[in-house]
Amino acid sequence: MTTQAKSTRKWWALGAIAAAQFMVIMDTSIIGIALPRMQVDLGFSPESLTWVFNAYVIAFGGLLLLGGRLSDLLGARRVFGAGWVVLAVGSLIAGAAGSAGVELAGRAIQGAGAALIAPSALTLLMMLFGGSPGELTKALAVYGAAAPAGGTAGVFLGGVITEYLSWPWVFYINIPIAVLALIAVPLVMPAAPARKGSIDIAGSITVTAGLAAAVYAIVQAPETGWASGQTWGVLALSAALLAGFVVIQSRRAEPLMRLSILRAPNLAAANFAQFALAAAWVPMWFFLNLYLQQVLGYSAFPSGAALLPMTTLIMLGMVVLAPKAMQRFGAKPMIVTGLAVLGLGLGVMSLVRPTGNFWVDVLPASLVAAGGMSLAFIPSLGTAISAARPEEGGLASGIVNVSYQVGSALGLAAMTAVAAAFGAGELGDARALTDGYSAAFLGAGLLALAGAAITAAVMRTPATADAPV
């Protein structure tokens, strides 16, 4: 194969990797517009409705380390392809579900497929572009922009599908895309030999169960009471499981996550920044969808279209602004500034009114928040995945994806509890719903500001050496 052909194939492979990121994130957002109809058809309560999101995110986040380990041992291309198969099966189950329980099972299987796809995709990206810092930054920008594109495309497509077809098609749409991905994998993706090693099943079980218990306790707390024995008992169980995970990792010769990797310069700080970004951003997306539909009265299609300006700004920011700003300012200033701007945007969004409108209550705040996200995402992602040794690319990719997904799950769970406490459970009462959503926006903004402050305190300066430029 000629050098030009190899280069062309490499960029086609990046397109497939970005498409995978697009799909993984789209599956977290495409259900947003469909949630009200799913709630009626499948019998979800307002509190349990978030589990349509959390079932996916918990399986995704809890199994990402296993996905990264499998990627390192079995080869990223094999695991990437297997993930698409699992995702397609979960999509079929979720679309055909006739009850809440089956729906959640399908969503969890989708999350398991995504947990194989995401770390293997990042590993493949590092295999293709890791040798050239300049190309790596461009590749990460394309990969990073695929996330908000997938998020808003999910909202938009979810609106179109829910409006003109029916909500099961928000899941069925994944199946033909998975087939196309499986055809493309052997054509454009680089092969990697399998390596000898063991798989830490006990570690995978404890970290997934610990995360699930923590989210369950937080989501159920408004109903059972924050001071109840059930709430604190489940939180204690979560802490015990996560502590057990750490103990297992410290004692195994071949752990799921080598704990010493966290001592790599700025890796822990960059992963915390990804956690904070997700903990603030995902609740904003979730409750903004509900505000548009349940308070402003938007139908599914206009609600999805209302988020297009925000996504356009994020994509332009990540692809055009972030790489240039990384070269000039370095990672740390961009991450801290981005989190602070995201917090500011959410603070403005908390001023939403029950008699508001898109142009005053949604558009300005959403654009400010989007600007913050576009500044912080690429620098924190690049710093996190470039800190590990090359042979641990799957592990580093798994860890940063875990950070983002755990932040998503816990941030949404916490802000759901806040929204419910301030009245968001009163369907049909626009003022009560607005009060709840406003509180959730403000809480998410405070999380972003706290993330900015902590990152400023713990991230090493200068950080440019730890991130691709």
Side-chain angles (χ1 to χ4, degrees), residues 63-324:
L63 296 173
L64 271 165
L65 292 178
L66 177 61
R69 176 66 173 165
L70 290 173
S71 181
D72 288 335
L73 291 180
L74 304 179
R77 190 170 77 174
R78 292 187 185 91
V79 175
F80 186 75
W84 282 106
V85 174
V86 176
L87 180 67
V89 171
S91 299
L92 180 61
I93 294 172
S99 67
V102 175
E103 179 62 44
L104 296 184
R107 288 291 285 165
I109 294 171
Q110 283 187 301
L116 298 176
I117 292 171
S120 57
L122 267 177
T123 301
L124 289 165
L125 186 149
M126 293 299 292
M127 289 171 60
L128 289 163
F129 299 98
S132 170
E135 285 190 348
L136 180 58
T137 297
K138 293 176 183 176
L140 285 173
V142 172
Y143 177 87
T152 298
V155 173
F156 187 76
L157 286 174
V160 173
I161 291 168
T162 304
E163 187 88 7
Y164 299 110
L165 294 173
S166 60
W167 65 260
W169 284 96
V170 303
F171 303 113
Y172 292 149
I173 192 176
N174 292 336
I175 298 173
I177 296 173
V179 171
L180 292 174
L182 289 169
I183 293 171
V185 166
L187 298 177
V188 299
M189 293 300 179
R195 301 202 336 250
K196 291 183 179 180
S198 61
I199 298 172
D200 182 8
I201 300 299
S204 299
I205 293 172
T206 52
V207 70
T208 304
L211 172 61
V215 174
Y216 178 82
I218 296 171
V219 169
Q220 293 297 114
E223 212 173 299
T224 60
W226 283 100
S228 71
Q230 176 181 319
T231 298
W232 287 100
V234 177
L235 286 173
L237 174 62
S238 170
L241 287 166
L242 294 175
F245 169 73
V246 172
V247 171
I248 291 169
Q249 301 314 289
S250 66
R251 294 182 177 179
R252 285 186 63 94
E254 294 185 84
L256 188 65
M257 184 179 80
R258 180 176 61 84
L259 296 178
S260 59
I261 195 175
L262 297 176
R263 293 200 295 268
N266 278 340
L267 186 140
N271 274 277
F272 173 79
Q274 283 275 307
F275 176 96
L277 279 171
W281 180 262
V282 171
M284 184 204 76
W285 161 82
F286 185 86
F287 289 108
L288 187 54
N289 275 317
L290 295 179
Y291 174 74
L292 288 167
Q293 291 188 70
Q294 297 180 347
V295 177
L296 298 188
Y298 281 34
S299 61
F301 180 79
S303 181
L307 302 183
L308 286 176
M310 178 172 65
T311 303
T312 301
L313 178 60
I314 291 180
M315 292 178 65
L316 288 174
M318 287 188 180
V319 174
V320 179
L321 175 62
K324 295 179 181 178

Side-chain angles (χ1 to χ4, degrees), residues 277 334-335 337-342 367-377:
L277 279 171
M334 289 185 64
I335 296 169
T337 301
L339 280 164
V341 172
L342 174 58
L367 292 179
V368 174
M373 185 67 167
S374 66
L375 289 175
F377 187 85

